[in-house]
Amino acid sequence: MGIFDFIKESKSYEKLCEILSCTNKKISLTGITSSCAAGIVSAISNENNLTYNGKCVYIAGNALFATKIADDLKFFMQNTEDILILSPYEYMLYDVETKSSELSAQRVDVLYKLLKGNWKILVTTPAAVAQWFPNPEYIRTSAIQLKTGDITEIEDLAKKLASIRYIRLSEIDGKGQFAVRGDIVDIFPYGAENPVRVEFFDNEIDSIRIFDIISQRTVEKTEDVLILPDNETYIWNWEHADRVRHDILRELELLNLKENSSLFKRVNSDVDKMLPRNIFQGYDRYLPYILNNEYTLFDYTGKCNVFLEDLNEFRDTINSTKDDYVRICETIQETIGILGKTYDIVMSSEQAEDLCEKASCNIIYVDKFLSDRKNCEILQFPCRSTDPFGGNLQMLLDSV
């Protein structure tokens, strides 16, 4: 008997599946551990007869809890690639360039997989849910998918790579670079461990090989490769740039500033830099104008079951995150000035909570302690933690 057989024999689980076969329901799973929640979510994600095929978003209380639940989910899931983890975007409001391009690239990869439907469970945090996201179409259309047998001109491929900020060199030595040598194009995708070598026969892709950048030896052959940009918050095209410039200058005009004021001069200088895929110091201060505070995480996941762990922690984490950014905005306001919309770079906890309820197929509250929520179906599960078994599923099964 497998682990899911134990879970599915539970009357509470049967009741949960019955409820989740409908939509717009609220359920409270009370008195359960993180490990137990992971087992339930894993089982639900493998139910094909539920609404929206059992896809689940699990919002952990904070980043630490997200790491724990992700580890627990990997304990239960046979294919760990079905689990995606989305960290919050790192805003940098000061005039410095210290953000992690690796983290940004990981987020783009996760967002693309969400759009393609290549997932069953998404683990994220309140801070990530409370952020605004780019138009999903920008992420979808920026992807470059190469397959053996594809017909494309090498220079057309080079232009596409350059359009998503890949740098053309005579020889690559790091991520985000590509090189063209005759009928060979070497590309080092963001987020990849090794670069790829694409060999052409005339205008047809003849082979794609992953190779070691030091030894230049082939690691393995592959039939396809996905190449994504390193950032989700670019100004993606000239139409987008024109709209952003217009919105910023309109707000600046409403402030009635003198032309020699520092804020007036700096904002006008920054507006001149608002070009497709151009990042500059202080860029993130304009994200509410660039993203237009329009799209959310659920524009990427679509309708699904949302597991919300520890509602009080959810609210506290978002309130704390928003307070931190407000303090940063106030500090910048006192020194060089800032536009008002920058204060709205993240949602309030009320907005985020309302979003989860309205955008979800069903919302399931995960409560460690007995909770009495209004308009909620309350279910209790007998639980055991996976921690003592050190990742050995058979030991857990033998002990039940």
Side-chain angles (χ1 to χ4, degrees), residues 215-264:
S215 68
Q216 296 290 303
R217 292 180 178 176
T218 298
V219 175
E220 64 175 299
K221 288 188 176 182
T222 182
E223 292 298 313
D224 56 64
V225 61
L226 176 67
I227 302 163
L228 294 168
D230 67 324
N231 197 303
E232 71 205 64
T233 62
Y234 286 129
I235 294 174
W236 293 94
N237 52 49
W238 287 107
E239 181 182 355
H240 190 186
D242 288 342
R243 196 264 301 160
V244 173
R245 289 171 172 176
H246 175 268
D247 290 351
I248 292 172
L249 291 175
R250 182 177 58 185
E251 180 165 337
L252 187 64
E253 183 180 0
L254 293 174
L255 295 176
N256 292 318
L257 298 173
K258 294 181 179 180
E259 291 188 6
N260 63 350
S261 70
S262 61
L263 180 59
F264 184 91

Side-chain angles (χ1 to χ4, degrees), residues 74-319:
K74 291 173 184 176
F75 181 90
F76 290 105
M77 295 289 285
Q78 288 185 338
N79 185 4
T80 58
E81 291 184 1
D82 289 334
I83 306 167
L84 299 180
I85 303 170
L86 185 69
S87 302
Y89 182 86
E90 289 184 340
Y91 298 123
M92 185 53 63
L93 303 185
Y94 294 113
D95 288 336
V96 293
E97 296 178 355
T98 58
K99 286 200 302 184
S100 167
S101 60
E102 191 72 22
L103 177 59
S104 295
Q106 288 172 4
R107 276 183 57 92
V108 174
D109 182 63
V110 171
L111 294 181
Y112 184 78
K113 287 176 179 176
L114 289 174
L115 291 173
K116 297 296 286 185
N118 301 333
W119 62 288
K120 287 187 176 182
I121 303 170
L122 172 67
V123 178
T124 190
T125 65
V129 173
Q131 293 178 328
W132 299 100
F133 286 69
N135 185 333
E137 193 61 22
Y138 293 150
I139 301 296
R140 187 181 286 111
T141 57
S142 68
I144 300 173
Q145 182 86 49
L146 301 177
K147 297 180 180 179
T148 54
D150 282 354
I151 304 297
T152 184
E153 299 295 337
I154 289 178
E155 283 307 311
D156 288 343
L157 173 58
K159 289 177 182 177
K160 289 180 181 178
L161 290 167
S163 75
I164 56 173
R165 281 176 59 96
Y166 277 70
I167 300 170
R168 185 169 184 169
L169 300 171
S170 59
E171 185 177 331
I172 63 172
D173 59 13
K175 296 181 180 183
Q177 301 173 358
F178 74 99
V180 179
R181 295 180 290 108
D183 292 333
I184 295 174
V185 181
D186 289 343
I187 310 167
F188 205 148
Y190 291 106
E193 292 185 10
N194 294 296
V196 295
R197 179 159 290 158
V198 183
E199 297 187 24
F200 283 79
F201 180 77
D202 193 15
N203 61 352
E204 179 180 349
I205 296 178
D206 187 52
S207 68
I208 302 174
R209 294 182 291 139
I210 301 171
F211 69 96
D212 183 275
I213 197 167
I214 304 298
S215 68
Q216 296 290 303
R217 292 180 178 176
T218 298
V219 175
E220 64 175 299
K221 288 188 176 182
T222 182
E223 292 298 313
D224 56 64
V225 61
L226 176 67
I227 302 163
L228 294 168
D230 67 324
N231 197 303
E232 71 205 64
T233 62
Y234 286 129
I235 294 174
W236 293 94
N237 52 49
W238 287 107
E239 181 182 355
H240 190 186
D242 288 342
R243 196 264 301 160
V244 173
R245 289 171 172 176
H246 175 268
D247 290 351
I248 292 172
L249 291 175
R250 182 177 58 185
E251 180 165 337
L252 187 64
E253 183 180 0
L254 293 174
L255 295 176
N256 292 318
L257 298 173
K258 294 181 179 180
E259 291 188 6
N260 63 350
S261 70
S262 61
L263 180 59
F264 184 91
K265 290 190 291 186
R266 185 173 52 75
V267 171
N268 273 281
S269 174
D270 288 344
V271 165
D272 291 338
K273 304 171 190 173
M274 297 289 180
L275 308 173
R277 297 179 176 85
N278 184 42
I279 301 289
F280 52 88
Q281 289 187 353
Y283 180 87
D284 284 3
R285 292 198 291 267
Y286 300 101
L287 285 183
Y289 304 91
I290 294 166
L291 302 179
N292 207 29
N293 289 8
E294 181 178 359
Y295 297 97
T296 72
L297 173 62
F298 297 105
D299 289 299
Y300 288 78
T301 64
K303 285 278 188 178
C304 56
N305 294 307
V306 173
F307 287 77
L308 203 164
E309 176 186 288
D310 196 335
L311 183 56
N312 289 330
E313 185 73 24
F314 175 87
R315 293 166 177 165
D316 290 344
T317 298
I318 294 176
N319 288 335

